[in-house]
Amino acid sequence: MDYEIAFDQDENVYRIYTGYEFAAIGEWVSEYVRDVESIQRVLIAARLAETEKETTEFKHGPFDVIVSEEGVSVSRQIDLDSAEEEIKAMFDSQDSFYQTSTDGIQAECGLEDLINMIENWHEVLN
């Protein structure tokens, strides 16, 4: 998985930038895995998935995260209810033509990629 850890001058924080297919993972780590305790919890969950085949689930804000022996799966929920009327209006008021979805954005990667990203993230934050 390709990613870059860079300083965001607008927000005055470090962030992880990834390609589109891994965006949910980069956003989740950047926003919710910032302190030592959170970093340790994610690394422990990844190690338990590797060695004990345990599955761990996290809920951080709009992110649902599952760490298992297959890797990590991150889903970011999106609330499109507020934009639904505007979107339908763009399609000439044909309500049945467009249905909004709350599935959100999803991304997956292997445990090794996750562990490497979190370890590099920890080094940058310290």
Side-chain angles (χ1 to χ4, degrees), residues 60-93:
H60 294 131
F63 295 95
D64 292 322
V65 181
I66 301 171
V67 180
S68 68
E69 65 182 310
E70 289 87 30
V72 64
S73 172
V74 178
S75 300
R76 182 173 192 261
Q77 304 306 310
I78 298 174
D79 181 15
L80 291 179
D81 291 339
S82 59
E84 184 174 6
E85 294 306 315
E86 278 185 56
I87 293 169
K88 286 181 179 178
M90 289 189 292
F91 294 104
D92 297 323
S93 300

Side-chain angles (χ1 to χ4, degrees), residues 28-47 56-61 65 67 114-115 117-119 121-122 125-126:
W28 165 62
V29 173
S30 294
E31 294 178 26
Y32 291 96
V33 187
R34 299 196 68 80
D35 58 28
V36 173
E37 182 181 325
S38 298
I39 291 170
Q40 288 175 340
R41 285 179 52 212
V42 172
L43 287 175
I44 289 170
R47 302 280 188 223
T56 305
E57 295 183 22
F58 297 103
K59 174 75 174 149
H60 294 131
V65 181
V67 180
L114 175 68
I115 291 168
M117 175 188 282
I118 297 294
E119 288 174 346
W121 179 241
H122 178 64
L125 293 180
N126 284 331

Side-chain angles (χ1 to χ4, degrees), residues 1-6 15-30 105 107 109 117:
M1 171 174 54
D2 292 331
Y3 63 91
E4 178 182 8
I5 299 174
R15 297 195 60 77
I16 296 176
Y17 297 94
T18 65
Y20 175 76
E21 65 274 18
F22 301 112
I25 296 170
E27 287 179 37
W28 165 62
V29 173
S30 294
I105 301 167
C109 74
M117 175 188 282

